[in-house]
Amino acid sequence: MEPTKYYRSPHQAYRCGLANVGRPCPNGPLGRRCGQSQSDPETCYPIRTLYGWSRLGAWITTLFSLLFVLALLPTWKKKSSLVPGALSMAHAQLLHGTEDHSRFSIKESERCAACHPNVQTMGSKPEGHLASVKIGGQSQLCMRCHIHTIPNGYEGSPHDLTGEDLQELLATVAYPTPKKIANQTTECSQCHREHQGSGENLQTISSERCQACHRKQFESFSKGHPDLENYPEARPRSIAFDHGRHRDLHFAKKNATFDCRTCHLSTSENSVVGNVFRSVTFEQACAQCHLEPLRSAMEEGIAVIQLPSLDRRRLEQQGLSLGPWPEAASQIMDGKLAPLLIEWIATTTEGREVLNRLPRSGQLRDVDLNDRAQAENVTHLAELIRSQLQQLAIEGQPYLRRNLENQTAKYLEANPKRMAKYVSQDTQAPPSSFATVSIDAPRETMLSLWLNQMAGGVPPDMLRLAYENWYGKPAEGSNRLATRTIKQPTRGRYTRWQSSSDATDESLLLEPSKSPDSLLQDSDDLLSLPKPLDQTKAENSANPNTARSIRPLKAWEHLPYGGWFLDETRVAMVYVPQGHADTWLTRWLEWKTLQSNDEEPGWFDDSLSKQCLQCHSVGKDRIAGLFEGNPRTKDPSLVAFHPPDSPSSQQLNACWRIYQRSTAERALTRFSHTPHLTIPTLRDCQTCHHFQAQKGSRDPAFGWSQQGMIVHHEFESMQRSHCASCHTKQSAGDSCTQCHNYHVDLFSHKH
Amino acid sequence: MNRSFPTTLGEKILLSRSGTSSRVLIRPAWILMLLGAGLLIWMRSYWIARLGNEAFVTGYALLLICFALAALGIRKRIHAFRLGPVAVWQSAHHYLGAFCLFAYVLHAGFMPDGWIESILGMLFWTILGTGFLSWYVNRNSPRLLRAAGPAILRSDIPHAKILVGEQACQLAIQAAGSTNSAVIADYYRTKLADFFSTSRPWLYRTFPTGKKRRQLISDLENLERYLDDRGKVLMERMSQLVHDRDDLDFQSAIQNRMRFCAALHTFLLGAFTVFVIAHVWLAHQYSSHW
């Protein structure tokens, strides 16, 4: 009996139930039913075939899968069950934070929408500045959190660069065309792939992605990578240090070891290049040799306010009256106006005219008193000085600060470019969608802190005392002065200023010196060391008469730790700095530099200037840069020490310090010494840093300049082959991002 | 081995060029696969180089391969057009399946995270695994079937078994009529009746062996000393029927195994399709760029 061909096809869900007994129905089954007519006595019960079972199973699993997916569909916008993979550690809290701590975690319904704009449930569209940014929606969501670390990220431009930096970068790219790249925006997710698991480092970028633009392709770092041209690049310097000269001249003379690590290695902190710094502190690296000369230069102090000597007799011969003027400064025409006096006098139109009529040399001895006009100018000058000092004596520090502020504002106004930057800090806040709290109280800025430190360092009581000593009690505002008790200090060659709290002895009240020539009297004392305080007190108590004859004060003896005193001989208020990095002096030197017409500041004292300028260079740009507070300024010496809204004294001193790259700053190339110094053969710095040829360090043009911003390098450039010996794929790695940053603050071959 | 028509893609390609030995025939298909893998790697690198999302390249390549794999099932159901032998299509299906493995690993690694992706991954591996199993079974079964007598369709086997059983029964009745061959009838009653009338156990249907056949034939041969000449002829005929029945069982087991693997390979395809569609849709919804 031949089976019907109906059964020969394997794609049948049922087969005849009688087939197994050798009598299959001639027509085969019709679905689940027998294909024979009902009247036929030989009908069968069709049996499901393997194919049939398979098809049934397929339908069931398909239906079940469809139901499963459809069940998820209504909540697809907010369910983390659709997450394709675990987030990285940094972002994990976005998904797995507990609702209990709702302040810190995101609601479950908003978790996906925190990063995926297509599933936004908050219904927020980009607002304000966000509406004009170039990057796409998802990247905008990234920037909601990362704006502070990648402030230029909203631009979406290559390497976050804009303007000149971008053009400079594009010049280095061969393909695609720079124009094409410039118009291209990048999205965060193009490089940073999330949902790759908690162990995935989001910052690991494949070298292939770098080569999307950097098409000068090469096989590896060791084969084909461009040579390290002049790396590390020479940078502008704020502190002069000629390595070759120190090693060959100074250290050799002292037979001292020239060890790089003494100055450059820190055991306690890390810089952007590991625990190696461009320089450590003055105390650690320089004080051993430079502290003593500095003290010598400072021991006489600085005559901050000094009256010039004017010839009263000759002026009276011209029929002019000098008015109140200290006798000690009324003999001859001599001296030079103190820089501060010049600035204060120049605040008025009249004052500027008087100053313009003075000799170009600035020396008053060059004034021709036979010329009545010049003589009248001198009396005018004396009156202006007196007037300014009177105001100072009456109003004290507020007057001084106001004056300084006006002068600084004039400088900023005279430099529109700087002013524009300064103003723009307030009006163009960095884009951020976070709510900000506004407080009506005036914000402390770097400029205000800077002015406060200058004005706050001048003792107002001493100003009044100086005025009274030189001119008598001021007529105007005398009531205000009368409300305060002025302790009269001793008067010798020097009159030491004391605050009201520490002047207890009535004998210290102002008494003119009995000696006809205080200078001669002091000369002996200058050769003797001061007695200990206890011994002096004992002597005074034993002999009351000697207690009255207080020795005249000497700056180097009595003010070894710095301070103010009145010098009656010089007719000056003198300030003795508190050693290296004196806060008040640095502020005033900065102010003077800012006011000067050229980069050569007219500082207070030549010997002190020499000591300061020997190592430091504080140009106008550097100081003004402090007030701009722009951490991304092009000037590398001003970079990123100080966020503008949190000024501090330390930040103010930035321009005096050697430039240390901040860890917040991102240059195109990065390097850390730390892992390299673990290799014994690399622990000797000179393994990598070779001095230039000997002539280089002795070539004056190659060394330090007074301008301080000379860019030069005393070391030979690193060779790529040095690095490539270890940095291979199999050894220390050679991916692009191992040494290069994508998100950079500035692009320059100099960094 | 003589073949009158090409049965694999490799053979089809090579026969059109030269028609040499089977070992050489396979090479062009592998070369095509290597070229395909190279093309996919190049496309992926190109996509990365233009800062694109390379998962879309490998993903859509994978989707395309899946469509191509599904073409075999469609081909089997289309009889109206001359689309070439199914064997060639099946061979192409096998090579594409192997290539699919490469594309999948390039796309998602071994096993992705996430609920939907994990389910999709498991479905993929199951289908691929059963596919490879089918491939292996399909390659080995013809040799086994050829060794088990003449070819017979799976649907004809039950009827053939009945015929063999009936012949054995008649032979036993004949043997019972003579004193010198009655032991054959006794043996049929005690052992062979069950053998001819019932199905083989599950273990045999999964892993068929000739152990039972050898045992039965050995038992029959041991009866020879009780048989006269006529009885010996009956015994030889009974041995032949045991042999035939065992061959039918063997062919049934092998063909069922092939069918079972094929069914296992296809029954998850619907669920796989559903999850693929969901995955593609979600990928487009959540991704910021291609």
Side-chain angles (χ1 to χ4, degrees), chain A residues 1 3 7-8 20-22 50-51 54 58 61-62 65 76 81-85 116 118 138 189-190 193 209 212, chain B residues 49 51-54 77 113-117 153 155-156 159 162 259-260 263 266-267 270-271 275 285-286 288-289:
Chain A
M1 184 179 174
Y7 297 109
R8 290 176 179 273
N20 282 348
V21 294
L50 190 59
Y51 172 77
S54 166
T61 53
T62 305
S65 304
W76 70 276
S81 53
L82 298 181
V83 171
H116 295 282
N118 291 348
Q138 191 175 52
S189 59
Q190 285 180 312
R193 293 292 167 80
R209 296 194 185 280
Chain B
L51 293 178
N53 191 341
E54 75 278 10
R77 287 165 178 80
D113 293 332
W115 278 92
I116 286 186
E117 281 71 19
L153 284 177
S155 53
D156 296 343
H159 181 62
I162 289 169
R259 289 299 305 154
F260 183 75
T266 54
F267 103 100
F275 278 96
Q285 279 297 317
Y286 282 87
S288 64
H289 69 288

Side-chain angles (χ1 to χ4, degrees), chain B residues 26-48:
Chain B
I26 298 171
R27 284 182 186 167
W30 284 107
I31 290 169
L32 275 180
M33 278 181 62
L34 287 174
L35 285 175
L39 178 68
L40 190 58
I41 290 172
W42 178 82
M43 282 172 64
R44 183 177 178 273
S45 299
Y46 173 77
W47 212 251
I48 290 172

